[in-house]
Amino acid sequence: MGGRYHAGELAVQERAGVRAMAARIANGIHRTVPERAADFLREQPFVLVGAEDAERRFVWATLLSGPPGFASVPSPDRVRLDASPRAGDPLEGALCPGRRLGVLAIDPATRRRMRVNGTVLPSADGTLEIGTEEVYSNCPRFITRRAPGRMPAGAGHRATRSGSALPPDLTDLILRADTFFLASAHPERGADVSHRGGPPGFIRMTADGRLVVPDYRGNAMFNTLGNLATDPRAGLLFLDFGTGLSLHLAARGEIVWDADRIAEVEDAERLVEFTVERWVAREGAAPAGWMDALPEGRG
């Protein structure tokens, strides 16, 4: 794995003035899955995945789901997902052996989360086998608590539409969101997927359609921003927690360090501007029926 951080991460840490803190936190990055993390993963009904598409043109984020236990740890250096991207998913056919990917397991009710980055391994039984390279937990800040509900009758993937310019209904979903998931990639270290959250409306849109996202104080690793500093390709995933609609965006991200612009956004320490290049909307593709955000749901 070389050094704990690649040059892009180190550069962002240096500019943010957190190199020493990041060095201390790096001790929490493991090559294998600790037993407690394995137990947490087995309890989850879904995970988020980030990777390049089959053509290696765009980076996308998606959601894979199944009954608890569909995600397992057959050995400390392997994670198994008994699921794969379905028809219409922008990562359909992309997660072949040798492909680098990031996995995020997150429990909205408890606000716990863990990340696994690694490489797809050959599998004889059709499951998605991942050789682990980086395994670590993140703090629960800015995760909106939600209590998972039952899947509504008739739920399931129903229709897919796509395009380049976002239509009004999808723009509205983005601008009222309190949560999305962000995939990024590095040419040597591979892909990663992370959570981004804030108060409803924390994402803004410029007159020319760029999405402006505040970057709040976090764990000082800067895995995502470090990737974007090296490779601007990004995949954003928005979920309608009531209907199960999945909105996937392929975009290019740019870190904004301008102090005057940052000062306009409460609590932001940086901004990231995303230029959307493609979008895919999949009706009923995600688990649906989650309750509304619970009281005191953010930290």
Side-chain angles (χ1 to χ4, degrees), residues 158-180:
R158 295 187 293 275
T160 299
R161 51 190 172 123
S162 61
S164 53
L166 285 164
D169 64 316
L170 299 181
T171 298
D172 179 67
L173 173 63
I174 293 169
L175 296 182
R176 59 182 169 83
D178 59 25
T179 299
F180 75 97

Side-chain angles (χ1 to χ4, degrees), residues 216-227:
Y216 301 117
R217 181 183 298 273
N219 59 23
M221 291 182 174
F222 290 111
N223 308 120
T224 300
L225 296 196
N227 285 349

Side-chain angles (χ1 to χ4, degrees), residues 158 238-247 282-289:
R158 295 187 293 275
F238 292 86
L239 302 173
D240 186 318
F241 293 99
T243 67
L245 179 141
S246 296
L247 172 60
R282 303 167 60 228
E283 300 283 349

Side-chain angles (χ1 to χ4, degrees), residues 30-45:
H30 307 283
R31 287 297 302 263
T32 58
V33 183
E35 183 176 352
R36 183 179 179 187
D39 292 340
F40 173 73
L41 189 61
R42 282 189 285 265
E43 296 169 354
Q44 304 314 309

Side-chain angles (χ1 to χ4, degrees), residues 96-107:
C96 53
R99 185 59 53 95
R100 308 290 290 277
L101 80 170
V103 177
L104 171 68
I106 184 168
D107 180 356

Side-chain angles (χ1 to χ4, degrees), residues 8-9 11-12 224-232 253 255:
E9 293 167 329
V12 177
T224 300
L225 296 196
N227 285 349
L228 293 178
T230 306
D231 181 342
I255 306 170

